[in-house]
């Protein structure tokens, strides 16, 4: 199915369409047998990703989703039946800003009378750990926005993104080359620590599509994405596929923080991994069955099969 221009088709407004999550949502709606009109938001309509979606029939709108531009956001959301929201902590690393922007986006979605708001939330790792792992700002801020959205009464589905498979390739702090040419991949948690891995660009949108289209989901639902696998198993499979000698070895927390080279960032990552190990990525919540999805998501092994190993 291509993107509909028919005014009777529901209008889905997608935040972050040029990014991993929003782009994945757009592609999943393209794949649907149901028609959607899609409006994709970006700060820069000239970007390659924005232009590529425009060529496929997406109406690209330029807008900055900041608190000082609430009127512009309202215009961008106007007429939406479905809105997909993601906030981008990584760009500014400011917890208060993420919460303020998230709340503004929720308020605006409610004000335009959206029929279904899909929010990319995460769990409150600080609260789950009784304050022990309190530095994982981007989990806590997203959970604060989730609670705010629930309280607001907007028709809401929370679709939580799993642990990006690509993180492993970006975790240069965890990888140490040994004198014999082999590698050790080390995090401050046991090898048995498991996370719900997802090829986010390929599969996150499948979960959003299910939240929209599955009658058992929709408003009031929560969806936890990904496929559980331990760091030890991930590294073993990576060694097999890449042909390199890589082993997993748990690192002492202080040593790990030193390896990151940035104490504040290192402490945040250490809290995050340790919270995953003790409380789970989704706390006590179960991962949503892949049975609700329109197709099978990629496993870690599938992801490695399509990832050029020279990247590693
Ligand atoms: N890494 C993980 O394992 C993981 C797991 C779960 C959740 N997350 C969360 O995922 C979020 C990032 O999502 P992503 O991976 O999809 O990010 P991404 O690929 O970096 O894309 C970010 C998107 O947000 C848009 N954007 C950012 N600031 C904007 C603004 N002021 N106005 C309008 N659009 C704006 C960007 O649009 P333009 O640049 O085109 O304007 C872009 O489309 C983070 O908050 C992170 O905490 C990450």
């Amino acid at each position: 199915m291509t993107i509909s221009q028919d005014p009777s088709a529901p209008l889905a407004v997608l935040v972050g369409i040029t990014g991993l999550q929003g782009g994945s949502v757009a592609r999943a709606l393209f794949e649907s047998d149901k028609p959607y009109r899609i409006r994709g938001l970006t700060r820069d309509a000239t970007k390659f990703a924005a232009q590529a979606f425009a060529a496929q029939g997406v109406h690209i709108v330029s807008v900055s989703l900041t608190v000082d531009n609430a009127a512009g956001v309202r215009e961008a959301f106007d007429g939406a039946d479905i809105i997909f929201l993601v906030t981008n902590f990584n760009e500014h690393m400011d917890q208060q800003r993420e919460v303020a922007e998230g709340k503004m986006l929720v308020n605006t979605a409610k004000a335009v009378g959206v029929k279904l708001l899909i929010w990319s939330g995460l769990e409150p790792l600080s609260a789950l750990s009784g304050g022990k792992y309190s530095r994982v700002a981007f989990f806590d801020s997203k959970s604060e926005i989730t609670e705010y959205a629930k309280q607001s009464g907007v028709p809401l589905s929370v679709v939580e993104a799993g642990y990006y498979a690509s993180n492993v390739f970006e975790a240069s702090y965890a990888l140490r080359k040994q004198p014999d040419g082999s590698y050790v991949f080390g995090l401050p948690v046991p090898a048995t620590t498991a996370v719900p891995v997802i090829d986010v660009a390929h599969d996150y949108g499948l979960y959003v599509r299910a939240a929209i289209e599955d009658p058992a989901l929709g408003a009031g639902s929560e969806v936890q994405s990904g496929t559980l696998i331990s760091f030890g198993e991930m590294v073993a499979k990576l060694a097999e596929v890449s042909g390199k000698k890589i082993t997993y070895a748990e690192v002492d927390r202080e040593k790990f923080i030193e390896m990151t080279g940035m104490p504040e960032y290192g402490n945040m990552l250490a809290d995050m991994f340790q919270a995953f190990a003790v409380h789970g990525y989704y706390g006590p919540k179960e991962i949503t069955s892949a049975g609700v999805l329109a197709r099978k998501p990629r496993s870690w092994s599938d992801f490695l099969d399509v990832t050029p190993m020279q990247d590693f």
Side-chain angles (χ1 to χ4, degrees), residues 106-258:
V106 168
N107 291 341
T108 313
K110 192 177 173 200
V112 301
V114 73
K115 298 190 187 81
L116 182 63
L117 175 62
I118 311 270
W119 157 239
S120 179
L122 287 173
E123 292 299 307
L125 295 184
S126 184
L128 279 172
S129 65
K132 184 168 181 193
Y133 302 118
S134 61
R135 299 180 180 92
V136 198
F138 54 96
F139 270 69
D140 289 346
S141 48
K142 289 187 184 64
S143 125
E144 192 177 335
I145 297 163
T146 300
E147 287 315 308
Y148 182 83
K150 283 182 180 169
Q151 294 300 320
S152 78
V154 71
L156 175 73
S157 173
V158 184
V159 180
E160 299 193 332
Y163 185 82
Y164 293 7
S166 54
N167 289 348
V168 171
F169 290 83
E170 287 152 17
S172 52
Y173 51 78
L175 199 66
R176 281 163 299 154
K177 195 166 187 179
Q178 306 301 300
D180 66 357
S182 67
Y183 294 87
V184 173
F185 188 92
L187 299 175
V189 290
T192 50
T193 302
V195 284
V197 164
I198 184 167
D199 180 344
V200 67
H202 192 254
D203 294 332
Y204 175 75
L206 283 181
Y207 292 87
V208 172
R209 178 179 161 193
I212 296 169
E213 295 181 353
D214 189 324
L217 297 173
S221 66
E222 283 201 28
V223 174
Q224 277 72 35
S225 65
T227 309
L228 210 59
I229 181 170
S230 72
F231 285 115
E233 289 169 305
M234 285 169 79
V235 169
K237 194 74 201 171
L238 178 59
E240 189 187 313
V241 174
S242 67
K244 294 189 173 137
K245 190 161 181 280
I246 314 161
T247 46
Y248 184 91
E250 181 176 355
V251 200
D252 170 75
R253 181 180 168 113
E254 292 315 314
K255 171 80 185 152
F256 174 78
I257 292 166
E258 196 186 305

Side-chain angles (χ1 to χ4, degrees), residues 16 18-21 42-43 47 65 87-89 142 162 164 167:
T18 60
L20 291 170
Q21 293 188 23
T42 171
R43 287 162 294 186
K47 270 189 177 178
L65 304 168
T87 45
N88 190 11
F89 177 82
K142 289 187 184 64
Y164 293 7
N167 289 348

Side-chain angles (χ1 to χ4, degrees), residues 30 38 87 104 233:
F30 289 0
I38 297 185
T87 45
M104 178 275 294
E233 289 169 305

